[in-house]
Structures are given as structure tokens and as C-alpha cells.
Amino acid sequence: MYLLAFETSCDDTSIAIFRDRELVAMKTRSQIREHNETKWVVPEVAARLHANNIFGVLEEVLNEAKVILKEIDIIACTEFPGLMPSLLVGMSVAKTLAKTLEKPYIAIDHIEAHMFANFIWRDSDDILFPSVCLTVSWGHNELYLWKSMFEREKIGETLDDSAGEAFDKVAKMMGLGYPGGPIIGKLASEYTGEFRSIFPKVLLDRETHDFSFSGLKSAVKREVDKRIEKNGSLSKDDIREIAFEFEQTVVNILSYKLFHAAKTYNISSVVLAGWVSANDRLRETIEQQAKERNYRFTAPISKVYSQDNAAMVGILAYYRLRWDI
Ligand code: KG4
Ligand code: ZN
């Protein structure tokens, strides 16, 4: 069985082909260069780029897989959540193909797909259920009680910004590029000083599994403005220090909340998903804490599967078919 999977929920045009459970090929065209000009994803710009790129990406992935469209047995596509103009491009192409090829179509939830990215190149029993899964991206920042493969309950979410959004906004306020996450991560790793905890850790003192990052973002803005007012501009060292303090604060909040939820629900398996899970400091911190506390820790096998990608859409569609859901 050949499965064709589409992902266009934000700014990556990604298409993958699976032969049963095996990922045969994936091609992704990023829009980072274009969005770097605005330091932000403008939905209408993203949608137009998807529309211009999608058939080129489709041709590339079919060539790499050495498959022709007629051989495709089933088509899957991300439908929600995401940027509506972007989602509609993928959905329109995927549904038109399904209709003309007379093949079944599967609608995929983007957050569930991020969670299922943990099954790419892994066995279905590699994740211990029940787990607590932290999904952190630009559009979402949530904690799930992942009870079994297709049973999950949201136990926490952000009350305002997501961590990914905070990374992007902090990068923007320091005049850095888009997406902010990897840029902040790199600058933070160059800082050699001690962690002084100069920013607030909002909601850490309360018995809630919810998050809030807008206060942290405002605190970073005040610090940036204060240093600019004092010295006229931000030095490279200022930028490295603020990036480090900000990133470490986010990591402390996310890891604390994840393990706190696991303890509350008496669960010994923790899972990471979403593009922020590509953050080295976050992965290493959670991995280390899991080891110390005897928790099973799982994150996508490669950063490629942390970011938006069609392989996660395909693997979720595959398991849905196998479980007949
Ligand atoms: O999964 P994604 O493309 O968006 C949604 O599905 O909503 O996630 C994008 C977010 C951006 O905010 C980006 O700054 C963040 O993920 N990100 C990171 C890293 N790589 C990407 N944040 C922190 N560290 C990273 N290495
Ligand atoms: Zn995503």
C-alpha cells in the first residue's frame, strides 16, 4: 500500500510517501528565506508560496520514491489546526487528487501528528502508555495525558503565547531573524556566564498545568529597552546573555511542568513533540531529568521530525488505518 501525505499548515510545503509503515521519501520546501524579510509568517504570503511550490514538491517526492500517482492507494493531509490560508492549499490539492484518483482521503490533526512523529522509524510499542506528552510549537503549547495510541486528554495549555511564539518575538525584538528558536538557541549556547534567573517564571508557583509566556516576553522587552537606553544599543554579549537567560527560563518552565504533570498523574513516561522539541537545551534537560528520576523519555528520532513535516502526517494516517480508526 502506498500512502501520500501532505503538510502545509504553516510555512513548510512537505509531502511524504509511505509504503505501509516505511517512509520511502519526503520532500519539504521551507519558506524561511521569504518570511525572514518580515521576521514573521504572513498567512497570505505563506499560502501563495505553498500554491506556487506544491506541485514541484509533489513531482520531486514521486521521483525520489519512484512511484507514479496511479500507484497511490490513499491520501492524507493536515486539516487543523494551523494557518487557514496555508491549510487550504494542501487540503485542496490532496482532496482533488483523492477525488480524481478515486482513492480514500484521511483528514489529519496537526498536533496529533506532531505526537505521532515519535513513531517515525520506531516500533509501536516504543512509547510506553500512559505517557505525558508536551507539545510545543508556534501555534500550540500543551500538555496531554496520552492514555493509549488514540486516546488523549488535554491537561494543560498556554493562557496566552506559546513558547515557540515567545522565541520568535524575543528574536524579533533583538533584531534577529526568523524563526527565532534556532537563532536564540545558537546565541544562548555561546554565552559562557552563569544562569542568574533575571526573568520571571510565570505560573510555576501554582498547582496548574497551564502555561503563560507573555509576562516573560514583556520582561525580556523591558530588559532589552533598559540596556539600549543605557548603552545606545545591544552588544553581542547582551544579546547572548539575554538569549541564554530567556532560553533557560523557558526550559525550566517547560521541564518543571512536564514532570509535575507526570508526578500528579503517577505516570513514568514523558514524551516531547512539536518543533520546539528540536531545542537542544530542552531535550538535554528533560532527558537528563528523566534519567535521574527513572522516567522513560521519548522525543522524535531526528529534528527533521520535530519540525512541521509530512512524515508525521503519513505515520499517523498509517496507524489510523491499521487500527481502523
Ligand atoms: O511546528 P511549528 O512549525 O509551528 C506550529 O505547528 O505551530 O513550530 C515553529 C516554532 C517557531 O516558533 C520556532 O521559533 C520554534 O518552533 N523553534 C524552536 C527551535 N526550532 C524551532 N524553538 C526553540 N528552539 C529551537 N531549536
Ligand atoms: Zn507544527
Side-chain angles (χ1 to χ4, degrees):
M1 177 201 70
Y2 279 111
L3 190 152
L4 182 65
F6 288 82
E7 158 62 44
T8 64
S9 69
C10 187
D11 60 344
D12 290 296
T13 315
S14 186
I15 309 179
I17 294 176
F18 280 72
R19 189 190 304 111
D20 298 322
R21 221 182 78 115
E22 183 200 353
L23 173 61
V24 184
M26 176 166 78
K27 290 286 171 191
T28 304
R29 197 160 306 167
S30 157
Q31 305 175 356
I32 284 179
R33 196 169 41 83
E34 289 85 349
H35 299 310
N36 214 346
E37 282 170 28
T38 44
K39 310 269 187 277
W40 203 244
V41 180
V42 178
E44 288 73 15
V45 175
R48 182 173 287 275
L49 290 165
H50 283 306
N52 288 341
N53 294 338
I54 196 161
F55 287 106
V57 177
L58 179 60
E59 199 177 320
E60 283 173 23
V61 79
L62 287 167
N63 285 343
E64 186 167 308
K66 298 190 175 53
V67 169
I68 57 167
L69 272 179
K70 273 193 184 154
E71 290 175 286
I72 299 293
D73 300 292
I74 193 147
I75 293 174
C77 180
T78 306
E79 287 214 351
F80 188 79
L83 302 175
M84 199 41 82
S86 292
L87 286 163
L88 289 175
V89 177
M91 283 164 62
S92 305
V93 172
K95 285 189 172 182
T96 305
L97 281 176
K99 190 89 186 148
T100 46
L101 295 169
E102 297 180 341
K103 299 294 176 189
Y105 170 86
I106 304 181
I108 293 294
D109 177 295
H110 185 63
I111 297 178
E112 193 177 14
H114 269 301
M115 293 166 78
F116 270 72
N118 280 285
F119 286 116
I120 300 170
W121 301 120
R122 288 212 177 100
D123 287 330
S124 56
D125 51 10
D126 276 357
I127 295 182
L128 206 62
F129 292 115
S131 283
V132 176
C133 181
L134 172 69
T135 70
V136 212
S137 266
W138 175 77
H140 44 94
N141 195 135
E142 290 155 5
L143 271 173
Y144 285 93
L145 196 53
W146 201 0
K147 297 174 185 172
S148 64
M149 206 148 216
F150 293 102
E151 214 190 337
R152 66 192 157 116
E153 181 192 332
K154 196 196 285 179
I155 54 171
E157 63 190 338
T158 180
L159 304 177
D160 38 60
D161 291 355
S162 67
E165 208 175 338
F167 268 100
D168 292 340
K169 287 181 178 166
V170 164
K172 194 175 177 190
M173 66 180 80
M174 294 201 286
L176 308 169
Y178 169 85
I183 301 169
I184 296 272
K186 183 172 178 299
L187 288 161
S189 71
E190 290 166 8
Y191 185 67
T192 49
E194 291 288 307
F195 180 54
R196 295 194 292 127
S197 195
I198 61 174
F199 298 128
K201 288 181 285 300
V202 183
L203 291 187
L204 265 207
D205 53 341
R206 291 196 227 146
E207 286 297 311
T208 166
H209 302 303
D210 290 333
F211 303 85
S212 166
F213 288 103
S214 94
L216 170 60
K217 187 190 65 189
S218 307
V220 174
K221 176 85 177 94
R222 284 195 296 276
E223 185 67 26
V224 167
D225 290 347
K226 195 175 87 189
R227 293 189 190 203
I228 292 178
E229 203 180 301
K230 196 167 159 219
N231 305 320
S233 64
L234 285 180
S235 68
K236 193 84 186 167
D237 270 350
D238 281 329
I239 293 176
R240 286 195 189 106
E241 185 186 357
I242 291 171
F244 169 72
E245 286 283 338
F246 164 74
E247 184 185 62
Q248 188 63 59
T249 304
V250 172
V251 167
N252 288 350
I253 295 169
L254 294 175
S255 53
Y256 174 84
K257 292 271 176 183
L258 176 61
F259 285 104
H260 182 62
K263 198 170 161 212
T264 308
Y265 289 90
N266 200 18
I267 282 169
S268 58
S269 161
V270 292
V271 180
L272 264 187
W275 201 8
V276 180
S277 71
N279 183 281
D280 290 325
R281 202 180 297 274
L282 181 67
R283 272 174 100 111
E284 283 158 19
T285 303
I286 292 178
E287 189 167 15
Q288 180 63 28
Q289 291 185 6
K291 208 179 272 172
E292 286 164 13
R293 300 169 194 195
N294 235 349
Y295 284 83
R296 167 97 68 108
F297 166 68
T298 316
I301 203 159
S302 145
K303 289 182 182 182
V304 173
Y305 307 123
S306 288
Q307 73 187 78
D308 286 351
N309 68 91
M312 67 188 192
V313 176
I315 198 89
L316 171 53
Y318 166 80
Y319 278 113
R320 282 262 199 91
L321 287 170
R322 210 174 109 180
W323 261 254
D324 204 20
I325 282 178

